[in-house]
Amino acid sequence: MATQIYQAIVDGILVGGVYALMAVGLTLIFGVLDIINIAQGILVVLGGYLSYSLSARLNIGLFLGLLITVPAMFVLGVAIQVAFIRPLRGRERTSMTLLVTYAVALIIEGVLYRIYGPDDKQLTASYVTNSVHVLGFYLPYIYLLGFGLAVVLVVALYLLLYRTRFGRSVRAGWG
């Protein structure tokens, strides 16, 4: 019983690292840009489906596929910003931004449903289903890889924001 509790704690910490990375992204969107982007969540889902497609149809590994997925999602985010959010000005910007990003989310969701249907999709890779036994715990490779990647990205973002001229200019908009 106690082992199961400890296993759940370890799993929670590993998954929590990935959630922390997502929270950092939301903080940047909401804090720096001062935009409430309802489409943020569906963009994460879209990135997941893009990774799935790269893996299932082109046999590109999930982590290698990030080299395609991350830039693609960046370009899409910039396109949404330029096409839909930037033109909004004035007092009504917040409420209009909510409506526009909600509409974008609904459109993306509809397209995903049309392409992939309502059924769950399963990612296949050896590190998705395998685990390593350490100190009495079974640690799934995917949790370890996700946690490690999240730590690296959060540290890189910290260094970018607090150790570069670009970061100082971004943070100047916070105050």
Side-chain angles (χ1 to χ4, degrees):
M1 178 70 170
T3 304
Q4 292 172 338
I5 292 172
Y6 294 136
Q7 181 71 49
I9 291 170
V10 170
D11 288 348
I13 290 170
L14 293 176
V15 172
V18 176
Y19 287 144
L21 179 62
M22 288 189 284
V24 166
L26 289 173
T27 300
L28 284 174
I29 295 290
F30 297 156
V32 174
L33 298 177
D34 195 28
I35 293 172
I36 300 174
N37 185 354
I38 301 297
Q40 184 72 20
I42 198 67
L43 290 175
V44 172
V45 172
L46 178 61
Y49 274 108
L50 179 57
S51 292
Y52 166 78
S53 294
L54 291 171
S55 175
R57 296 187 179 143
L58 300 177
N59 292 323
I60 296 175
L62 298 174
F63 281 95
L64 182 60
L66 288 175
L67 297 175
I68 298 169
T69 303
V70 171
M73 298 314 301
F74 175 79
V75 169
L76 180 59
V78 169
I80 291 170
Q81 170 71 20
V82 170
F84 301 117
I85 297 173
R86 188 177 290 166
L88 301 174
R89 302 271 186 240
R91 296 186 342 197
E92 301 298 319
R93 181 176 183 185
T94 302
S95 60
M96 288 303 295
T97 301
L98 284 170
L99 291 173
V100 166
T101 57
Y102 183 66
V104 168
L106 286 176
I107 291 167
I108 292 172
E109 186 177 339
V111 169
L112 288 174
Y113 183 81
R114 186 83 165 136
I115 293 171
Y116 296 100
D119 299 327
D120 293 336
K121 305 298 179 206
Q122 184 70 34
L123 298 174
T124 56
S126 62
Y127 49 82
V128 172
T129 55
N130 293 337
S131 60
V132 62
H133 187 77
V134 177
L135 301 173
F137 298 107
Y138 288 96
L139 305 175
Y141 286 122
I142 192 70
Y143 286 8
L144 292 172
L145 292 169
F147 182 81
L149 184 60
V151 168
V152 167
L153 291 173
V154 169
V155 168
L157 182 63
Y158 172 81
L159 293 174
L160 176 72
L161 290 176
Y162 288 95
R163 301 284 190 251
T164 66
R165 177 183 290 203
F166 171 76
R168 282 190 291 280
S169 66
V170 168
R171 287 184 298 117
W174 290 350

